[in-house]
Amino acid sequence: MNRTIRNLDLSEIATLLDWAAAEGWNPGLGDAAAFQAADPHGFFGAFVDSMMVAGISAVAYDARFGFIGLYICHPDWRGQGHGKAVWDRGMAYLAKRTIGLDGVPEQQANYASMGFVPAYQTIRMSGTLPPGRPAAALSPARPEDIARLDRQCFPAPRQAFLQHWLAPPNRSFLHHADGVVDAYGVVRPCRDGAKLGPLFALTVAAAIDIIDTLSGPLHIDVPAVQTDWLAALSARGFSPGFQTTRMYRGPAPTISLDRVFGVTSLELG
């Protein structure tokens, strides 16, 4: 067996996302370009005779924070060390940064053994919204409009990522109160319905204003500490699905978790 590990190009990142879809992770239709923009050097694959057999994202947002996701070995190649090989490469790339990931319950003990510490739980809420009402308080979002709020709720700057994340096929919204941006959200079409993330807001009321303008099948990954928001979603017919736990290796970043109503993505944080 001749295994090599190298960076993935855009088409190979798209293939890794296809694998994620096959695992039931329901990635967005336009994720590949936005993910690559976050860190063009942060995606790795293991190849055997030029065939990709495992992959991982290890995105370095800045010199202090990185995030692990899309950790998948193709089912036909499991049990041969390929997944461990890309994991080791990704972790080496992120080096001494604080590293975040979203762990499913069956893997959390494994991550804990490697130094990852739980920070908070996330609940996937899913539902179908009726036709929404227009909201005068909403306007299209631009990176320069949301930079301050985004930085309060995310551990590192991510301008290049947001330029892609806010662009079609995704739809983005700003919410204003008294001339001040107090919430923003991004809806991205997925293999199944759409996902709302991020949804960052100063108040539950602003978050509700955004969701009440939306319609159709929708999924939101909500921090479990947002009990009032979870109740508002339940009142709109949303039900809980699988849960993950945000874990960090290294000092946990300081963010305004009370303003996080929907995480951006489980793959990149």
Side-chain angles (χ1 to χ4, degrees), residues 5-257:
I5 299 175
R6 62 167 174 80
N7 287 113
L8 302 182
D9 63 24
L10 183 60
S11 67
E12 291 162 344
I13 295 171
T15 295
L16 188 56
L17 288 163
D18 287 339
W19 291 3
E23 295 288 329
W25 297 0
N26 194 27
L29 300 181
D31 282 359
F35 284 8
Q36 186 187 52
D39 180 2
H41 306 292
F43 294 81
F44 300 93
F47 292 80
V48 175
D49 298 329
S50 77
M51 178 182 297
M52 187 166 75
V53 298
I56 197 169
S57 61
V59 170
Y61 282 102
D62 62 11
R64 295 182 299 174
F65 181 70
F67 201 88
I68 289 282
L70 289 173
Y71 178 35
I72 309 173
C73 184
H74 192 279
D76 294 343
W77 293 88
R78 290 175 182 170
Q80 301 177 48
H82 304 305
K84 180 64 162 53
V86 293
W87 171 272
D88 289 345
R89 177 63 66 87
M91 294 295 287
Y93 174 70
L94 294 179
K96 296 183 179 180
R97 294 172 175 86
T98 288
I99 302 173
L101 57 78
D102 286 307
V104 295
E106 56 268 24
Q107 290 296 327
Q108 288 165 22
N110 184 37
Y111 295 137
S113 71
M114 293 183 283
F116 285 85
V117 177
Y120 60 87
Q121 287 188 321
T122 300
I123 304 169
R124 170 70 53 85
M125 297 293 289
S126 300
T128 300
L129 293 165
R133 59 173 173 77
L138 292 188
S139 65
R142 299 176 301 172
E144 59 267 31
D145 296 323
I146 57 88
R148 178 176 299 180
L149 180 55
D150 191 77
R151 189 64 185 85
Q152 293 171 9
C153 300
F154 193 79
R158 49 178 182 169
Q159 292 91 336
F161 168 79
L162 287 174
Q163 287 177 353
H164 286 78
W165 201 247
L166 301 178
N170 299 353
R171 294 182 296 138
S172 57
F173 310 93
L174 286 177
H175 185 274
H176 304 267
D178 299 323
V180 176
V181 174
D182 65 348
Y184 93 94
V186 179
V187 174
R188 78 190 205 273
C190 296
R191 312 295 175 100
D192 170 28
K195 290 181 182 175
L196 174 58
L199 178 57
F200 298 157
L202 304 188
T203 65
V204 177
I208 290 173
D209 272 355
I210 287 180
I211 198 168
D212 281 349
T213 69
L214 305 178
S215 61
L218 193 67
H219 311 279
I220 314 172
D221 294 306
V222 181
V225 297
Q226 293 285 12
T227 54
D228 290 344
W229 173 237
L230 289 167
L233 291 173
S234 295
R236 287 159 175 76
F238 282 68
S239 57
F242 70 91
Q243 298 188 18
T244 57
T245 296
R246 175 63 56 87
M247 306 178 77
Y248 296 110
R249 194 183 79 167
T254 300
I255 62 169
S256 298
L257 187 58

